[in-house]
Amino acid sequence: MAKQYWIGDFFVDLSRNQITRNKQPQIVAPKALAVLTSLAKQQGKVVSQDTLLSEVWPDTIVSPNSLQRSIAQLRKALGDDGKGQVYIKTHSKQGYSLECHVRWQPEPQPQLLTTSKSRLVPEEGKPLKSVEDIPTIFASWHIKLLFFFTTLVLCGFIGAHFATSDTSQSFSVGEIRALTASDGREFASIYSPDGKYIIFHRYSQQECVNNIWAKNLDTQQEHKLTENIDSYGSHSFSPDGKQLVFIRTMDCEQPTIQKKCYQLISMDFKMALREPQPINILLECKTSEIRLPHWLNNNEIALMQREDTQWQLISYSAQNNQSTVLYQVDNGNIVYYDYSVKDDLFSVISIHDDSKYYIDILNSNGKLISSNLINFPPEAQRRRFLVANFSPIENHLIFSTGRQFFTLSFEGEVKNISIPLDQPTFSPNFHPDGNKALVIKGNYDSDIAAIPTNRVKAGTLALAQHIIERSTVAEDSVTVQPNGSLIAFSSNRSGSEQIWLSEQSKLIQLTQFPIDSYISGMHWAVDGSSILANVNNELVHVQLDGTQHHYTTPHLILELLNWNKAHNTALTLANIRGVQKLVEYDLNTSQFQVLTDKRINWADKTDSGQLIYTDRMDKFWLLGRVEAEPIPALNNQGGDNKPFIVKGQIIYGMNNNFELWSFNLREKQLNIIGKLPSNTVSIDDVDNTHIFITARIASKKEVVELILNK
C-alpha cells in the first residue's frame, strides 16, 4: 500500500510520521497515523471502534481511551477541533468516519535524474513542471540575471522568515525536576534576581494557613518568610534583590463597596531568611483592587488596579506615596501583564472594543510601542484567562492552557510547542539567565456527594458514606435529570474535562472535547432530553447520543447560569470588552441583552422568570419590573462569591459557616436546614430527598523546574 496520501490539502507521509500543510510539517504519533490510514482506506464509511482497535493494536489489549487520544491528536494536526468535525466525524456508539476526499500517492519508481523530461517530486509529493514546461523567455540573458537575483532575494526572505518564526525549534525541555514535595499546596513561584533562591506560597490544608517560603537551590534548605498573615497574590523582587513585595488580601473591617481590602507589602528578604518578618504596609486599597506587583528598574512598583470594572496599569512610588496611570484601554480592559527587567518593557494582554485579545508592548513609561491582534490556533481559542510571560526567545512570550504550551510573538502570532508534561501546569516564570523556568504542576481532586436532606437537618452527616462519584481528579457540576434517573457531571478522569452520565453504577462518557477543555456550568432541558453546557467559553448543546450543536456568541461565556429550553435563552456571565456582565442570549437569533451594569457574582432565575442575583458585597437582589429590590433576609447568607441555586420559588445557598439554607420567595421565610461538611465547594443541585454537592478532597500543587536544552 502507498505510504503517502492526501486528505484535502494535507499531505500524509507515513515513512516520516508527518502530516504537512503549506510546507509546515507536524510530527504525529505512528499509532495515530495508523488510525488515520485505516479511516482513509474506508473513506466516507463508518469504521467501528472494535475494527480500529484490532487493526491498529493487533494482539494487544488496550482501552478505548487509546483510540480516543489518537483521534484527538489527528483532529489537532488537521486543525479540526471536533466541533464542526470537518475531517473526522464521530458516530455515537458506532465509530468514526473520514469525511474528506483521499488521494493516494503512487509509489515513486527508481530513476536517474537527467536534464531531459524527468519530473522532480518535492517533499509534499506534488510534481514540478518539467524543463520543457518552463517558458523559453528565460533563455534571454538579462531575464536570466533578473531571475537569479529575484530568486536570491526570495530565498533570503524565506530563510529569514523561517529562521525567526519557527520558535518551537528554539524552545525544548531537556529535564523536568520537582523542587518541592510537601503536603501543602504551592503556587506563585519566582526566582530571586541572582537565581539562587525560589520564592513561593505554601498553603497548609491541615492548619488552613498560607505563608511565603524561600528555598536555596544549592543547599535545598527552606525558609519560612512570613507568619500566617492571611492570603497573598504574586510577588516581586527589588532590582537589587534586597526587598520582596507582595499583595495581601483580607476582609475589610468596615466594607463600603467591596468586602475585600488589599495591601501592598514589602519585606527585607535577607532578614526574613533568618526568621519570619513583620509586614511593612506600603499601600492599602479599600475601594479598589490591586494585583500583580512588579518592581521596576526605576525602583517604582507596577500594579494592576481596578476601580469598579476598569483595570489599568499604574506605577506606584513608595518614596513619594504617589501613583501614576501608565496604560489603560479605552472601551476595553487589561487582562494580564508582565514586565521584563532585561528589556525594561511591559507586555500587556488586553481585550479591545471588538471583544478580541490583543498583545500591547509598552516601554517603561507606558508609551505604546505596538498593539497587535492575537491570532490563536484552534486548540488555544476562546480562553478565559491568558497569562503570558516573557521568555528567553526574543520578542516572544510563553503561556500555558494546561497541558499545552504556546509561544506568543509581539506581532500576535501563536504557535504550539511540545513540552512533556502529564498534568496541568501554569505559565512559566523564567530564570534570570533564561536556561530554566518554574511552573506549578499538579491536580485538583474533588468528588460528588448526594446527601439526604434529613441527614443535614439531623446533623448526623458522614460525608464518605454519600460520595456517589469518585476518582483521583476533579468531579463537579453535578445536575440531576428532570423526570429521569440520570445524573450528569463533569470530570477529568479521561485526561481532559468531559460530560459524564451516571445511572446507578453505570457510567457513560457523553463527550469528547479536545485537550485542556474546561466546563463552566451545564443545565438539563426541562424534559431531560439534552444538556446545554459552557465549554471553553462557548455554549454547546449536547444530545444524549453525543451529537452536539455549538452556538456562536460575540463574547466569551464565562459561566452558564440558567437555560430556558422553552424560549431557548441562556442566562450567562459574559466577557464584553473585557468586563464581566450579566447577559441573556437568545440562542435562536444570537441576540443578547445586558441585564444590569452592576458587578455580579452569581445569578439564577425562578420557574416564572424572576431574576435573582448577588452583587460584589454578596447581597441578594430580586430584579423587578422597574428596578432591583434587595432581599434583606439573606444579608450575610451569600458567602464569599459562593453560588446559589433556585428551584421553583425557593433559593438554596450556603453561607461562610457552611450552613445550608433555603428561602421561600412567596412566604419571605429563611430556613437554616443544617450544616454541610467544611470541605463543601458548592451546592450544585437539589431534589425532593437529596442535596448534591461538590466536595474538595485534595489539591496537590508543587513547584517544578524545567531545564531547557541549550
Side-chain angles (χ1 to χ4, degrees):
M1 189 196 75
K3 294 183 178 180
Q4 298 173 330
Y5 55 94
W6 292 83
I7 298 175
D9 54 356
F10 287 92
F11 181 67
V12 182
D13 189 344
L14 301 179
S15 63
R16 299 184 180 183
N17 295 327
Q18 286 183 352
I19 295 179
T20 303
R21 186 186 193 188
N22 296 330
K23 297 186 178 180
Q24 297 295 319
Q26 302 177 70
I27 301 298
V28 181
K31 290 295 185 184
L33 285 179
V35 171
L36 183 62
T37 303
S38 294
L39 293 174
K41 290 189 292 184
Q42 301 290 328
Q43 189 272 327
K45 299 180 181 179
V46 179
V47 183
S48 69
Q49 291 191 19
D50 291 341
T51 299
L52 291 171
L53 289 170
S54 62
E55 287 187 3
V56 178
W57 290 272
D59 304 321
T60 304
I61 299 176
V62 296
S63 70
N65 286 342
S66 300
L67 176 58
Q68 293 166 6
R69 284 193 293 269
S70 294
I71 293 293
Q73 293 171 21
L74 293 171
R75 282 176 169 156
K76 177 181 176 182
L78 296 170
D80 191 350
D81 59 5
K83 298 175 182 178
Q85 298 189 355
V86 176
Y87 293 92
I88 300 176
K89 185 175 182 179
T90 301
H91 301 267
S92 180
K93 301 180 181 179
Q94 297 182 52
Y96 302 92
S97 65
L98 183 64
E99 297 297 305
C100 199
H101 179 64
V102 177
R103 291 181 290 124
W104 297 95
Q105 183 77 12
E107 291 286 353
Q109 299 297 321
Q111 58 179 351
L112 295 175
L113 178 62
T114 68
T115 58
S116 60
K117 297 182 181 180
S118 59
R119 302 172 71 87
L120 304 179
V121 180
E123 183 179 2
E124 293 187 21
K126 184 176 180 180
L128 289 173
K129 291 184 177 181
S130 66
V131 175
E132 289 184 350
D133 292 333
I134 300 176
T136 56
I137 190 172
F138 287 106
S140 171
W141 69 269
H142 59 279
I143 297 296
K144 287 181 179 180
L145 187 62
L146 178 61
F147 178 70
F148 170 78
F149 281 109
T150 302
T151 304
L152 186 64
V153 172
L154 182 62
C155 289
F157 171 79
I158 293 174
H161 170 75
F162 282 102
T164 57
S165 65
D166 191 11
T167 57
S168 62
Q169 300 301 318
S170 306
F171 188 93
S172 62
V173 176
E175 181 184 350
I176 300 175
R177 182 167 57 195
L179 296 183
T180 59
S182 71
D183 292 328
R185 183 171 76 243
E186 285 95 16
F187 54 99
S189 58
I190 62 170
Y191 290 100
S192 60
D194 59 10
K196 293 182 179 179
Y197 291 87
I198 61 168
I199 316 299
F200 57 93
H201 291 298
R202 174 175 288 158
Y203 176 78
S204 171
Q205 290 180 291
Q206 291 182 344
E207 301 175 2
C208 294
V209 295
N210 180 58
N211 281 296
I212 299 177
W213 290 72
K215 182 170 185 174
N216 187 311
L217 295 178
D218 292 329
T219 66
Q220 302 300 304
Q221 184 178 1
E222 293 187 348
H223 308 266
K224 188 168 73 168
L225 307 182
T226 59
E227 194 65 63
N228 307 345
I229 56 170
D230 222 329
S231 60
Y232 317 90
S234 59
H235 30 237
S236 177
F237 275 96
S238 58
D240 59 11
K242 294 181 179 180
Q243 296 287 316
L244 187 68
V245 68
F246 55 92
I247 292 173
R248 178 189 183 193
T249 305
M250 55 191 295
D251 291 329
C252 295
E253 292 183 1
Q254 295 180 330
T256 54
I257 63 173
Q258 61 187 33
K259 294 181 69 173
K260 296 294 182 181
C261 290
Y262 303 86
Q263 295 176 337
L264 179 65
I265 295 174
S266 67
M267 175 184 296
D268 187 301
F269 178 62
K270 187 174 181 180
M271 293 180 63
L273 289 175
R274 293 196 290 266
E275 61 178 348
Q277 291 297 297
I279 61 175
N280 176 32
I281 301 175
L282 301 177
L283 176 69
E284 187 167 13
C285 297
K286 298 180 179 179
T287 60
S288 66
E289 180 180 349
I290 54 174
R291 62 185 179 97
L292 291 177
H294 278 283
W295 216 313
L296 307 179
N297 290 341
N298 63 8
N299 216 32
E300 294 188 354
I301 300 169
L303 297 160
M304 279 181 65
Q305 181 186 34
R306 177 169 68 177
E307 294 183 353
D308 194 20
T309 60
Q310 186 73 27
W311 285 100
Q312 57 187 8
L313 180 62
I314 68 170
S315 177
Y316 172 73
S317 171
Q319 182 177 359
N320 301 323
N321 193 28
Q322 292 181 343
S323 65
T324 304
V325 176
L326 293 175
Y327 185 62
Q328 59 185 2
V329 180
D330 295 333
N331 205 23
N333 224 341
I334 295 174
V335 176
Y336 183 81
Y337 86 100
D338 194 24
Y339 173 71
S340 170
V341 174
K342 175 185 174 184
D343 300 321
D344 200 23
L345 290 176
F346 291 104
S347 65
V348 178
I349 306 299
S350 60
I351 294 181
H352 290 197
D353 55 4
D354 57 2
S355 290
K356 295 182 179 179
Y357 280 105
Y358 285 75
I359 175 171
D360 307 325
I361 304 299
L362 321 173
N363 67 14
S364 57
N365 296 321
K367 182 180 179 181
L368 184 64
I369 298 174
S370 65
S371 179
N372 289 288
L373 176 69
I374 299 178
N375 299 307
F376 292 100
E379 64 268 31
Q381 285 181 352
R382 298 183 70 88
R383 293 292 164 181
R384 181 174 185 174
F385 302 111
L386 179 54
V387 177
N389 295 326
F390 280 100
S391 78
I393 307 172
E394 187 176 1
N395 297 337
H396 282 78
L397 288 74
I398 287 183
F399 68 92
S400 166
T401 59
R403 286 186 294 163
Q404 297 180 101
F405 277 65
F406 298 85
T407 58
L408 169 60
S409 73
F410 287 5
E411 290 75 35
E413 297 302 317
V414 176
K415 288 193 175 181
N416 201 326
I417 54 178
S418 176
I419 296 180
L421 292 172
D422 61 341
Q423 292 179 331
T425 64
F426 294 95
S427 297
N429 283 298
F430 288 89
H431 191 275
D433 63 15
N435 63 359
K436 48 191 173 183
L438 298 175
V439 297
I440 302 297
K441 174 174 172 283
N443 269 328
Y444 178 78
D445 183 8
S446 60
D447 292 345
I448 292 170
I451 304 175
T453 308
N454 56 9
R455 290 290 183 91
V456 179
K457 292 179 179 179
T460 57
L461 181 60
L463 181 63
Q465 299 176 4
H466 306 294
I467 298 293
I468 58 173
E469 294 301 338
R470 167 83 185 114
S471 74
T472 58
V473 292
E475 274 80 28
D476 53 35
S477 302
V478 59
T479 177
V480 181
Q481 183 186 33
N483 305 315
S485 58
L486 292 174
I487 294 175
F489 63 97
S490 66
S491 174
N492 287 296
R493 62 180 64 190
S494 61
S496 60
E497 194 162 15
Q498 306 291 341
I499 299 176
W500 289 73
L501 298 178
S502 172
E503 186 174 23
Q504 296 177 351
S505 60
K506 183 180 179 182
L507 272 179
I508 299 174
Q509 182 178 329
L510 183 61
T511 60
Q512 294 183 6
F513 298 129
I515 187 174
D516 288 344
S517 291
Y518 57 91
I519 300 170
S520 300
M522 57 185 188
H523 294 267
W524 283 96
V526 176
D527 60 2
S529 62
S530 59
I531 295 171
L532 185 68
N534 177 31
V535 185
N536 302 331
N537 305 121
E538 183 180 56
L539 297 177
V540 181
H541 188 192
V542 184
Q543 302 290 340
L544 295 187
D545 63 359
T547 58
Q548 302 172 13
H549 175 75
H550 294 248
Y551 292 98
T552 300
T553 57
H555 315 110
L556 296 179
I557 305 300
L558 305 180
E559 191 78 40
L560 173 62
L561 304 169
N562 182 279
W563 179 33
N564 186 323
K565 177 65 183 300
H567 297 93
N568 206 19
T569 57
L571 182 68
T572 71
L573 294 176
N575 191 325
I576 299 181
R577 295 186 293 275
V579 178
Q580 178 177 293
K581 297 283 189 179
L582 181 62
V583 178
E584 188 166 59
Y585 286 93
D586 186 323
L587 300 180
N588 295 322
T589 64
S590 298
Q591 295 181 339
F592 65 93
Q593 179 185 5
V594 178
L595 300 181
T596 176
D597 287 330
K598 289 184 178 180
R599 279 176 58 186
I600 303 302
N601 290 337
W602 199 261
D604 202 351
K605 279 191 172 186
T606 66
D607 291 346
S608 60
Q610 286 183 295
L611 177 66
I612 297 102
Y613 64 82
T614 52
D615 62 14
R616 61 196 294 191
M617 295 287 288
D618 285 321
K619 291 185 177 180
F620 281 79
W621 296 80
L622 176 65
L623 187 62
R625 294 181 178 179
V626 178
E627 61 181 4
E629 301 175 359
I631 308 178
L634 295 182
N635 288 349
N636 302 318
Q637 297 298 330
D640 293 330
N641 297 331
K642 288 183 171 62
F644 61 89
I645 57 176
V646 179
K647 291 289 185 177
Q649 293 292 313
I650 300 178
I651 309 173
Y652 293 89
M654 179 178 65
N655 59 30
N656 283 337
N657 294 322
F658 298 97
E659 291 176 323
L660 174 68
W661 53 262
S662 66
F663 180 77
N664 191 308
L665 287 166
R666 289 196 183 97
E667 301 174 1
K668 309 296 182 184
Q669 182 178 351
L670 175 66
N671 175 32
I672 303 297
I673 300 173
K675 199 159 187 176
L676 293 169
S678 59
N679 61 338
T680 302
V681 177
S682 61
I683 305 167
D684 296 332
D685 207 347
V686 177
D687 65 13
N688 295 329
T689 58
H690 287 79
I691 309 292
F692 295 85
I693 68 167
T694 295
R696 182 186 65 254
I697 304 302
S699 181
K700 177 62 177 175
K701 305 287 184 182
E702 60 183 348
V703 184
V704 174
E705 190 172 49
L706 308 179
I707 310 299
L708 308 183
N709 287 323
K710 296 182 179 180

